[in-house]
């Protein structure tokens, strides 16, 4: 993908956010109304791809964790007891992850592969010379983007948000462990 | 104000079983996929206005 003349910047309180319209008012609103608050509160870091006069895309990251109940044939009592013991041979029930809180591409640049490039960049960023352990990428995906994430190797995390406006999905970075 | 970013829930029941099953054996990314990932990473790294 050609990024000639594009700049990737990290949003801060001084950033002048250039015009942007991805076609979704909520995602537009997040960039203009909320992204700086998330940054100021140290909740999420937003990155912007921009040209001189407009915003091409934005995305943000925050720390996350995937935890699950122990799985096995043990009865409830044993499950309760085993939760007090160190993890067994089967390993962990909690994994470090990073979340893509929001990712949006301007209508003017849709269908050119920029969204996929951002996902690829994110995958590489968290396996290449990473500073902390990170096993999964999670994403709070808008309904209209579910196919996009499925095509890029993401899976649904839960069936309980089937009817929500957004669904949680995840990507296992273990598939790139020999990256 | 836009919708807040949803928290990741603790997985239990069927969700937990599905998650464990899906991640028991991870399929490695293909050589082509890794090359694409590397190319995207380098392209964005090149235009980054901060250290990566």
């Amino acid at each position: 993908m050609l990024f000639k003349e594009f700049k990737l910047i990290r949003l801060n309180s001084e950033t002048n956010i250039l015009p942007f319209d991805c076609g979704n008012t909520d995602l537009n609103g997040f960039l203009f109304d909320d992204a700086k608050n998330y940054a100021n509160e140290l909740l999420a870091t937003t990155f912007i791809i921009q040209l001189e006069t407009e915003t091409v895309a934005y995305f943000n990251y925050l720390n996350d964790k995937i935890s699950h109940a122990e799985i096995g044939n043990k009865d409830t009592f044993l499950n309760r007891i085993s939760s007090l013991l160190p993890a067994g041979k089967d390993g962990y029930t909690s994994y470090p992850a990073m979340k893509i809180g929001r990712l949006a591409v301007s209508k003017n640049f849709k269908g050119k592969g920029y969204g996929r490039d951002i996902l690829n960049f994110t995958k590489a960023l968290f396996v290449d010379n990473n500073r902390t352990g990170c096993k999964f990428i999670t994403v709070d995906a808008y309904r209209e983007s579910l196919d996009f994430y499925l095509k890029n190797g993401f899976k649904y995390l839960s069936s309980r948000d089937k009817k929500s406006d957004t669904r949680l999905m995840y990507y296992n970075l273990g598939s790139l462990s020999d990256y | 104000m836009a919708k807040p970013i949803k928290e990741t829930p603790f997985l239990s029941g069927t969700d937990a079983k599905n998650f464990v099953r899906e991640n028991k054996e991870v399929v490695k990314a293909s050589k082509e996929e890794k090359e694409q990932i590397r190319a995207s990473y380098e392209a964005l790294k090149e235009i980054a206005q901060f250290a990566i």
Side-chain angles (χ1 to χ4, degrees), chain A residues 31-92:
Chain A
L31 176 64
F32 290 105
D33 303 330
D34 299 331
K36 285 185 181 178
N37 294 335
Y38 272 76
N40 291 341
E41 296 291 330
L42 304 177
L43 295 173
T45 303
T46 297
F47 299 91
I48 294 175
I49 299 174
Q50 62 182 27
L51 281 166
E52 215 164 289
T53 54
E54 64 179 312
T55 299
V56 175
Y58 81 88
F59 53 101
N60 56 33
Y61 299 146
L62 52 154
N63 289 319
D64 200 10
K65 180 174 82 165
I66 297 179
S67 301
H68 65 80
E70 284 207 47
I71 305 300
N73 296 322
K74 289 174 253 179
D75 61 26
T76 313
F77 172 74
L78 283 177
N79 264 334
R80 241 183 289 140
I81 295 293
S82 65
S83 70
L84 301 172
L85 301 171
K89 198 182 169 188
D90 291 335
Y92 306 97

Side-chain angles (χ1 to χ4, degrees), chain A residues 64 99 117 166 170 177, chain B residues 6 8 15 22 28 38 40:
Chain A
D64 200 10
K99 180 177 281 182
D117 280 324
T166 62
Y170 75 94
S177 58
Chain B
K6 209 193 279 175
T8 301
D15 287 343
E22 286 171 4
K28 296 288 174 195
R38 250 182 234 119
S40 300

Side-chain angles (χ1 to χ4, degrees), chain A residues 8 26 34 38 64 67-69 99 102 117 120-121 140 158-159 165-166 168 170 172 174-175 177-179, chain B residues 1-9 11-12 15 20 22-23 26-29 34 37-38 40 44 47 49:
Chain A
L8 172 63
D26 203 58
D34 299 331
Y38 272 76
D64 200 10
S67 301
H68 65 80
K99 180 177 281 182
R102 296 286 177 257
D117 280 324
N120 284 344
F121 171 76
D140 186 21
S158 170
S159 55
D165 293 338
T166 62
L168 286 161
Y170 75 94
N172 190 333
S175 63
S177 58
D178 54 353
Y179 171 81
Chain B
M1 191 174 147
K3 270 191 241 6
I5 297 168
K6 209 193 279 175
E7 274 188 44
T8 301
L11 301 178
S12 59
D15 287 343
V20 170
E22 286 171 4
N23 292 286
V26 182
V27 179
K28 296 288 174 195
K34 281 184 216 162
I37 288 171
R38 250 182 234 119
S40 300
L44 276 161
I47 62 161
Q49 307 297 299

Side-chain angles (χ1 to χ4, degrees), chain A residues 110-127:
Chain A
K110 276 214 164 101
K112 296 176 193 290
Y114 292 116
R116 188 200 56 206
D117 280 324
I118 292 169
L119 283 188
N120 284 344
F121 171 76
T122 305
K123 290 172 184 175
L125 193 63
F126 286 89
V127 290

